[in-house]
Structures are given as structure tokens and as C-alpha cells.
């Protein structure tokens, strides 16, 4: 078995990031990536299997880590006594969002790829992975939220609002905000969403 030359994989990944950011996954060329990395397409195939394998090598660790961060916050929150959850929700949401923003800004280019260059890969609807967790709906079960008119809040509505929150959060990446500006934006966004929920909900 031929021994792989050290540093080539790192060079391929660096050049692939640039190519994917410029052209998106679908239009990116392995031939161009190989030329810029000073290697061959065969070298890319031997290391990453195919174009999606190369894209996955770049984005999957960060994508998985962000999902796990969100799950950890949710699991910790749902470990509280049920009567404590309504009182603590705002704190957990706020601190969890700040933690996620910190991580996003530590891996900014990767999240640019996930959000705007991943069409045609399994990551093209990455936001849905964050929304579709079992914990998204558990909180409503605990506190039995209803609207002012007495109508039970449905899972469809929770899904739409949760997705809207995450899509809004990721706008900091799409608009290339500074981290300082992004944190101010998130503070306003949280207040906006809480104001909306408080306008339509009542305790059962």
C-alpha cells in the first residue's frame, strides 16, 4: 500500500474550502481543487472517496458538534424539575445561543459552507437537524401551553417558530456580521421571539 504524503490532505482541504465557498458544492471542480493543491484528482479520491466525501470532511465535524451543543443544552434543561423549567427557559435559551454563536464564529467559513454552499449534499438542510430533535416539542408537553383562545399549540406551529429562530440566528453568518454585532443581534432576536410567544400564549 502506497504511503500518503504528509500535508497533502490539509492542502486539499484548504483549497477545497476556497473552491466550495466560491462556487458552491454543485459547481465546484475536483480538478481545480487538485491543481491548486498541487496534486491529482486520484489523490483526492484515495483520501476522501469522492466530492461529497471531501465536503463532508470539511463540514461534518462542526455540524455534528453544533447539534450536540444544542442537544446538551436541551438535555440539561429537561433534567430540571418540571416546575422549574418555565422559570429557567429564558436563561437556558440565551446562554445556549451565546455558546452556539461562539462556536460558529470559531468556525465561520465552515458554517458559510453549511448554510450557502451545501446544496446537493446531505447537509443542504442542516437547519432542520437542529429543529427536528425530540426536545423541541417536550417543553410544550410539560407546561401545556395554549393560545389566548384556548387552542393547544400544535407541533407544526412549534416547528415553524423554531425553524424561524434558527434561520434568523444563521443570518449573522450570511450577513458576515462581526461577532460583537452578532451578539447584539441575537439579544434583540430573543426579545422579539419571546415577545411573540407572550402575545399569543397563556398558562393552562
Amino acid at each position: 500500500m502506497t504511503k500518503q504524503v504528509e500535508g497533502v490532505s490539509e492542502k486539499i482541504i484548504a483549497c477545497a474550502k476556497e473552491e466550495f465557498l466560491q462556487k458552491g458544492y454543485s459547481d465546484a471542480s475536483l480538478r481545480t481543487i487538485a491543481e491548486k493543491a498541487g496534486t491529482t484528482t486520484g489523490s483526492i479520491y484515495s483520501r476522501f472517496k469522492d466530492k461529497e466525501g471531501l465536503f463532508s470532511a470539511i463540514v461534518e465535524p462542526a455540524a455534528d458538534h453544533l447539534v450536540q451543543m444544542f442537544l446538551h443544552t436541551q438535555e440539561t434543561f429537561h433534567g430540571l424539575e418540571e416546575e422549574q423549567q418555565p422559570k429557567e427557559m429564558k436563561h437556558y435559551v440565551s446562554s445556549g445561543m451565546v455558546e452556539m454563536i461562539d462556536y460558529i464564529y470559531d468556525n465561520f467559513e465552515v458554517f458559510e459552507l453549511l448554510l450557502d454552499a451545501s446544496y446537493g449534499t446531505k447537509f443542504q438542510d442542516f437547519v432542520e437537524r437542529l429543529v427536528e430533535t425530540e426536545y423541541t416539542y417536550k417543553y410544550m408537553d410539560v407546561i401545556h401551553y395554549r393560545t389566548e383562545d384556548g387552542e393547544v399549540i400544535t407541533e407544526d406551529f412549534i416547528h415553524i417558530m423554531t425553524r424561524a429562530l434558527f434561520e434568523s440566528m444563521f443570518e449573522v453568518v450570511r450577513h458576515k456580521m462581526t461577532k460583537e454585532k452578532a451578539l447584539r443581534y441575537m439579544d434583540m432576536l430573543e426579545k422579539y421571539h419571546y415577545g411573540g410567544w407572550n402575545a399569543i400564549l397563556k398558562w393552562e
Side-chain angles (χ1 to χ4, degrees):
M1 187 179 196
T2 305
K3 184 178 179 180
Q4 292 187 345
V5 179
E6 281 188 31
V8 175
S9 294
E10 291 77 8
K11 184 66 174 175
I12 291 170
I13 286 175
C15 294
K17 266 189 188 179
E18 182 181 338
E19 176 78 356
F20 288 133
L21 282 169
Q22 287 179 353
K23 300 179 181 177
Y25 173 80
S26 297
D27 293 333
S29 164
L30 287 185
R31 185 182 298 278
T32 300
I33 293 168
E35 288 175 357
K36 289 183 177 179
T39 188
T40 63
T41 53
S43 176
I44 294 176
Y45 284 117
S46 69
R47 288 171 168 81
F48 302 101
K49 187 179 177 181
D50 53 23
K51 185 162 76 167
E52 185 160 1
L54 175 55
F55 190 85
S56 295
I58 296 169
V59 304
E60 192 160 30
D64 287 347
H65 187 77
L66 194 74
V67 171
Q68 290 306 312
M69 286 175 68
F70 178 59
L71 286 174
H72 176 71
T73 298
Q74 295 283 57
E75 287 167 357
T76 304
F77 173 78
H78 286 284
L80 299 173
E81 295 294 330
E82 289 188 3
E83 62 270 18
Q84 285 296 112
Q85 289 185 17
K87 301 173 187 176
E88 297 291 336
M89 184 180 73
K90 188 172 183 179
H91 165 72
Y92 273 83
V93 170
S94 181
S95 61
M97 286 293 186
V98 169
E99 186 180 13
M100 291 172 77
I101 288 292
D102 284 341
Y103 184 73
I104 288 167
Y105 273 78
D106 286 341
N107 300 272
F108 197 83
E109 284 189 343
V110 173
F111 284 96
E112 285 186 297
L113 290 171
L114 277 168
L115 296 167
D116 294 324
S118 61
Y119 184 78
T121 76
K122 64 181 180 180
F123 302 99
Q124 67 183 34
D125 204 9
F126 166 69
V127 176
E128 192 69 15
R129 285 186 61 193
L130 291 166
V131 176
E132 282 297 327
T133 71
E134 60 178 310
Y135 295 104
T136 300
Y137 308 102
K138 276 189 174 183
Y139 182 66
M140 292 300 188
D141 291 336
V142 169
I143 60 179
H144 310 295
Y145 261 148
R146 293 177 181 272
T147 68
E148 288 279 354
D149 298 327
E151 182 181 354
V152 175
I153 299 298
T154 65
E155 288 192 1
D156 284 343
F157 187 78
I158 297 168
H159 178 275
I160 290 168
M161 290 298 98
T162 305
R163 175 131 192 166
L165 176 61
F166 278 116
E167 289 285 5
S168 299
M169 180 185 79
F170 284 122
E171 284 300 299
V172 303
V173 176
R174 294 189 172 107
H175 286 265
K176 300 183 186 297
M177 293 182 189
T178 64
K179 186 176 178 181
E180 181 182 8
K181 186 176 180 180
L183 290 170
R184 292 199 303 269
Y185 169 86
M186 288 307 303
D187 181 60
M188 289 189 291
L189 186 63
E190 288 169 28
K191 290 174 181 174
Y192 174 85
H193 275 267
Y194 276 117
W197 280 111
N198 289 334
I200 65 171
L201 298 176
K202 71 172 185 177
W203 296 100
E204 188 172 72

